């Protein structure tokens, strides 16, 4: 059986989600609606998580997400490992983010696109397969960033830069020591010699 599509919206995207939901009904596309279910204010990061988790778990084929601009909910969605969310308001992007990026979440702005265009973008997104080929390696590199750019990796980088700083400090210390030997030490020796000379001179007198 065909996997359902996961729907998620905040209050800014609620009306558009409802329009797209009606369109999915007309097309006979199954979906799970994770809300919101009214115009009452909710936070878009909270609304991104349940539908995106359903996609990552493999329960839903992809997510259709809605907020005022589509931008905030796409930012939140892209924080989840395994989600490749694209905020679109044009047909070319909606098509090519499937062909080239294998996007699994389409984000639309309820205050940006009207219901007619939104439904066209949804159709393009749902009906366009991933092209694979040379794009598969690039998508794999996106997934690899989820590991290599994690907090742990940054901490390792920080450690390395701290080691560099210590080594630079040692080098500065060595340079300062060398300068001291080349300037202050000869002066001090000359001064001591001078004192001895004066002392000897006075004693002879
Ligand atoms: C809510 O007012 C609005 O900020 C939200 O829907 C979305 O546009 C954020 O990116």
């Amino acid at each position: 059986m065909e996997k359902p599509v996961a729907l998620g919206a905040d209050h800014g995207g609620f009306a558009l989600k409802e329009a797209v939901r009606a369109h999915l009904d007309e097309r006979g596309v199954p979906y799970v609606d994770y809300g919101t279910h009214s115009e009452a204010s909710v936070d878009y990061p909270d609304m991104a998580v349940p539908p995106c988790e359903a996609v990552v778990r493999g329960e839903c084929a992809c997510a259709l997400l809605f907020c005022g601009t589509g931008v905030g909910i796409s930012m939140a969605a892209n924080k989840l490992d395994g989600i490749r969310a694209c905020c679109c308001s044009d047909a070319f992007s909606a098509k090519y983010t499937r062909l080239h990026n294998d996007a699994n979440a389409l984000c639309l702005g309820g205050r940006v696109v009207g219901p007619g265009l939104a439904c066209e973008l949804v159709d393009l997104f749902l009906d366009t397969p991933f092209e694979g080929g040379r794009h598969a390696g690039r998508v794999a590199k996106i997934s690899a960033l989820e590991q290599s750019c994690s907090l742990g990796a940054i901490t390792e980088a920080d450690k390395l830069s701290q080691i560099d700083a210590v080594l630079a400090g040692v080098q500065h210390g060595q340079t300062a020591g060398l300068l001291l030997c080349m300037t202050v030490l000869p002066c001090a020796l000359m001064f001591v010699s001078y004192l001895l000379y004066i002392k000897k001179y006075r004693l002879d007198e």
Side-chain angles (χ1 to χ4, degrees):
M1 196 184 117
E2 197 185 344
K3 278 186 189 175
V5 167
L7 302 181
D10 77 350
H11 54 289
F14 168 70
L16 192 59
K17 172 173 74 68
E18 294 304 293
V20 167
R21 204 156 67 97
H23 179 66
L24 296 178
D25 281 334
E26 271 175 32
R27 274 192 54 166
V29 174
Y31 57 82
V32 179
D33 188 349
Y34 291 91
T36 187
H37 301 290
S38 77
E39 301 277 0
S41 180
V42 288
D43 295 334
Y44 56 84
D46 299 334
M47 303 316 295
V49 173
C52 288
E53 282 184 342
V55 173
V56 173
R57 282 198 298 262
E59 294 161 12
C60 289
C62 65
L64 301 176
L65 306 172
F66 308 83
C67 68
T69 57
V71 175
I73 205 157
S74 72
M75 288 179 172
N78 275 316
K79 296 291 179 193
L80 279 90
D81 286 2
I83 291 294
R84 290 178 301 281
C86 178
C87 177
C88 287
S89 51
D90 69 282
F92 188 86
S93 302
K95 181 177 173 182
Y96 276 82
T97 199
R98 285 290 311 128
L99 281 173
H100 288 188
N101 316 130
D102 198 15
N104 54 12
L106 176 69
C107 306
L108 300 167
R111 297 168 187 159
V112 180
V113 296
L117 175 56
C119 292
E120 272 193 42
L121 299 179
V122 165
D123 286 346
L124 277 169
F125 188 81
L126 295 181
D127 299 340
T128 306
F130 177 46
E131 204 174 281
R134 70 186 189 282
H135 302 292
R138 295 166 186 165
V139 172
K141 285 188 176 185
I142 296 177
S143 304
L145 291 175
E146 289 165 0
Q147 307 306 321
S148 65
C149 292
S150 68
L151 195 59
I154 290 166
T155 306
E156 283 305 310
D158 281 352
K159 278 183 197 162
L160 286 176
S161 75
Q162 279 169 10
I163 290 169
D164 281 349
V166 170
L167 290 176
V170 169
Q171 274 176 354
H172 284 145
Q174 285 171 346
T175 309
L178 201 64
L179 280 173
L180 201 72
C181 289
M182 290 170 69
T183 55
V184 178
L185 215 58
C187 289
L189 283 173
M190 278 173 71
F191 186 65
V192 170
S193 309
Y194 174 72
L195 287 179
L196 288 174
Y197 173 79
I198 295 289
K199 195 179 167 196
K200 185 174 185 298
Y201 179 74
R202 279 189 184 151
L203 281 176
D204 287 350
E205 222 177 24

